[in-house]
Amino acid sequence: MTVTAPTIGLLHGAHIPTLGLGTSPMNDTDTAAAVRSALEIGYRLIDTAENYHNESGVGQGLRDSGVSRDEVFVTTKFNKAWHSIDGARQAWRNSCERLGVDSIDLLLIHWPNPGQDQYVEAWKGLAKLLEDGSVRAIGTSNFKPAHLNRIIDETGVVPDLNQINLNPYKTRADAVAYHAEHRIVTECWSPLSPREILAESVITGLAERYQRTPAQIVLRWQTQLGYVTVPKSASPQRIRENTSIFDFDLTLDELASISALDQGGVGVPDSDVVGH
């Protein structure tokens, strides 16, 4: 049986599945096997990045799966070496070559790197790729509201999506509110890490109540809040388990009880300081 996640409409017209496969940190061989398993099960969103060094594995898994390229929403990200108008296009070419595809569905600036102060130029380059149809959607990763404000103010182009570190310990209320105000979709990276989250009594209690795994409870919390989530797994069993979240709903009180695990930003990488 295959399970296909519902989709969310993006600002520039594309639709992204709410659940996908994350691929960091996996090598090309493990990535190819995981992507093939995920696509055969019914996943239609795959998340990778230049910095993961496994885009070739994603492409191999896509080809091995036999699933048509136009059915799969491929996301990748580029590093600060390409933070210029022309650099964004070169990054797109490089990723297309490694992936073995002619186009990318969603291309993201991986980190703002404000110390380098070229992310606005990178954003202008992404806007050109969107305009000429090289990509279906453009976005950012690890951008704070201040970074997003700047690219919107200087270009007039709003990101389709911002991918941030978000889980029950890191609910990122300020960022999420900013996204909602500007119709930017929130996507969660490391949605199940650290693993201690899965041992929290509120999570294990709900898992018992709904006869689900703790991971399924956390992923359902994210998708019910309207986020896209991309849990990484190399295990076919866990890849399949992670899809079994769309046939039940947590109550508003249960959603709130999970959100109450928030630790106030502890452990969130400071994208004014870190990045690549």
Side-chain angles (χ1 to χ4, degrees):
M1 183 182 74
T2 61
V3 179
T4 302
T7 62
I8 295 176
L10 297 174
L11 193 60
H12 295 110
H15 285 77
I16 186 171
T18 53
L19 174 73
L21 179 72
T23 61
S24 174
M26 289 193 284
N27 62 31
D28 278 325
T29 300
D30 291 342
T31 297
V35 168
R36 176 176 180 169
S37 292
L39 293 176
E40 289 175 345
I41 288 166
Y43 282 67
R44 291 299 180 263
L45 168 63
I46 307 296
D47 181 84
T48 183
E50 173 187 4
N51 218 63
Y52 301 169
H53 305 292
N54 62 16
E55 288 173 308
S56 295
V58 169
Q60 188 63 54
L62 175 56
R63 291 185 292 275
D64 290 347
S65 74
V67 175
S68 173
R69 167 67 188 93
D70 62 11
E71 292 184 26
V72 183
F73 197 97
V74 176
T75 301
T76 192
K77 317 172 194 76
F78 62 87
N79 292 345
K80 66 181 180 181
W82 313 108
H83 279 204
S84 65
I85 293 174
D86 292 338
R89 185 167 297 277
Q90 187 60 52
W92 171 82
R93 289 194 192 99
N94 295 345
S95 286
C96 283
E97 182 175 347
R98 289 188 292 262
L99 288 160
V101 299
D102 296 325
S103 65
I104 291 166
D105 298 288
L106 173 62
L107 186 58
L108 308 178
I109 303 172
H110 204 153
W111 293 86
N113 297 285
Q116 180 178 268
D117 197 23
Q118 292 177 236
Y119 64 88
V120 175
E121 294 303 297
W123 186 245
K124 290 176 181 176
L126 277 180
K128 287 182 177 292
L129 290 168
L130 179 68
E131 186 177 0
D132 69 22
S134 299
V135 295
R136 297 173 60 204
I138 56 175
T140 52
S141 181
N142 302 300
F143 274 47
K144 296 180 180 181
H147 305 138
L148 295 168
N149 255 338
R150 186 174 171 199
I151 61 173
I152 294 168
D153 286 348
E154 295 195 26
T155 68
V157 180
V158 179
D160 286 287
L161 175 150
N162 188 31
Q163 185 180 119
I164 59 174
N165 186 198
L166 192 158
N167 56 55
Y169 284 169
K170 306 167 185 174
T171 62
R172 310 296 299 275
D174 290 347
V176 168
Y178 182 94
H179 297 167
E181 180 183 352
H182 292 83
R183 296 176 58 202
I184 300 168
V185 168
T186 299
E187 183 172 18
C188 314
W189 65 260
S190 288
L192 301 174
S193 298
R195 303 301 287 183
E196 289 85 349
I197 294 170
L198 304 183
E200 290 283 352
S201 59
V202 64
I203 303 295
T204 57
L206 289 169
E208 183 175 355
R209 181 178 304 170
Y210 287 98
Q211 294 298 290
R212 305 286 168 149
T213 67
Q216 288 170 331
I217 295 298
V218 174
L219 296 174
R220 189 63 183 127
W221 169 78
Q222 289 160 346
T223 54
Q224 271 191 247
L225 290 178
Y227 309 149
V228 174
T229 188
V230 284
K232 170 261 173 184
S233 181
S235 161
Q237 178 183 346
R238 287 182 180 164
I239 290 171
R240 182 177 293 279
E241 283 178 354
N242 288 345
T243 66
S244 299
I245 61 172
F246 298 110
D247 58 349
F248 75 103
D249 288 322
L250 301 167
T251 69
L252 291 177
D253 285 346
E254 289 166 347
L255 293 171
S257 71
I258 296 172
S259 298
L261 295 171
D262 181 62
Q263 296 181 349
V266 174
V268 175
D270 184 354
S271 57
D272 279 327
V273 178
V274 300
H276 44 66

